[in-house]
Amino acid sequence: MKNRLLSLGQLVAGIAHEINNPVNFIYANLTHASEYTKVLLKILQLYQQTYPVPSLHIQEAIVTWDLDFIQKDLGKLLESMQVGSDRIREIVLSLRNFSRLDEAEIKNVDIHTGINHTIIFLRHRFQNESGNQVIQVIKNYGVIPQVKCYPAQINQVFMNILNNAIYALNEAIANLSISQNPQSQPFVPTIWISTEILDKNWLNIRIKNNGLGIHESVISKIFDPFFTTKPVGKGTGLGLFISYQIVAEMHQGKLICNSKTSQETEFYIQIPI
C-alpha cells in the first residue's frame, strides 16, 4: 500500500515539475507583454491625436480589423491570461504540496496546511460551469500541534472524503432541481471541516456535508474494497477502502462514518498524537 501511494506521489510531483517550468516562463513574460501593450496603445493614441485624419488605406484597415474593439479588448485578454496563469501556478503548487515527495516518510506536519492545499486542488469542483461557487466550505480549525504522520497519504484521505462529499452534494442539488418546492427553505450545499484534540492524545478531524446521506444498511460496507453506491463508471469503490487502510493500518488511527439518510454525512479521522 505504502509503495503504491509513494509511486503515485512521485508521478504527481514529476508532472507538477514538468508543468511548472513552462508556466513560470509564460507567467514571467505576461508581465512584460502587458507593459509593452500599454506602451504601444499609448503611442497609438498619440498618433491618433497628432494625425486625426489618417490616409484612406489606414482608415480602411482600422475598419477591417476593428481597431477600437482591439484597443478595448486587448487589456482584458491579457488580464484573463494572467488570471489563468496564476490559477495554473496555484494548481502546480497544490500538486507539489499534495504529493509531498520530500515528505514520503513519517514526520511532524501541520495538518491544516494539508487540508487547505487539498481544498485548493479541488476548488474547481466547488463551482458550476459558469465559475460561480455553488458548494461552500466552512473551516473551524482548533488549536492543534503538529502531528507525526505520512503527509502524502493523509492528504489522499482528505482528497477521497472531500470528493465523496462533493458527489453527494451534487446529487442533492440535482434532486432538488427536479422536486424543489418553491416555498421550502433554500438549500445551501455545504462542507464543514473542523479539527480538535480529544483526550490530549488524539487528533480528531471532522468532515461533514449536508448532501443526501448514506442509508444505515450501507454504512457497515462503505470501507469494503470495491463497494460503491455510485452508478457504473462513477466510482471504483476503492477511495474509502484506501483511506481506511491509511488511517487504521499506517497510522493506527480510526476512520468513522456517521450519516442520516437524506440529511448529512460526517467522517471522523482520528490520529494518535
Side-chain angles (χ1 to χ4, degrees), residues 61-154:
I62 289 173
V63 173
T64 301
W65 292 322
D66 199 352
L67 181 60
D68 288 340
F69 173 78
I70 291 175
Q71 286 179 290
K72 293 176 183 177
D73 195 57
L74 188 55
K76 297 177 183 178
L77 181 68
L78 288 168
E79 286 178 10
S80 297
M81 294 170 68
Q82 189 78 47
V83 170
S85 63
D86 283 339
R87 175 66 179 137
I88 295 172
R89 293 180 82 216
E90 189 177 68
I91 291 171
V92 169
L93 177 61
S94 295
L95 279 170
R96 296 175 70 176
N97 283 287
F98 183 78
S99 64
R100 307 294 280 274
L101 184 62
D102 59 331
E103 297 179 9
E105 297 303 317
I106 194 166
K107 64 182 299 181
N108 288 323
V109 297
D110 181 354
I111 289 294
H112 293 158
T113 299
I115 297 173
N116 291 338
H117 281 302
T118 307
I119 291 171
I120 291 172
F121 187 71
L122 291 171
R123 188 170 65 180
H124 68 285
R125 296 201 58 207
F126 301 134
Q127 303 170 344
N128 59 18
E129 293 180 355
S130 302
N132 299 318
Q133 184 157 343
V134 175
I135 299 173
Q136 67 173 350
V137 179
I138 298 175
K139 294 182 285 189
N140 183 22
Y141 292 160
V143 179
I144 63 173
Q146 289 197 331
V147 178
K148 184 173 287 188
C149 65
Y150 294 95
Q153 286 80 345
I154 288 296

Side-chain angles (χ1 to χ4, degrees), residues 166-182:
I166 293 167
Y167 177 84
L169 290 168
N170 284 330
E171 288 290 295
I173 293 168
N175 284 3
L176 281 171
S177 65
I178 297 171
S179 60
Q180 189 170 32
N181 184 339

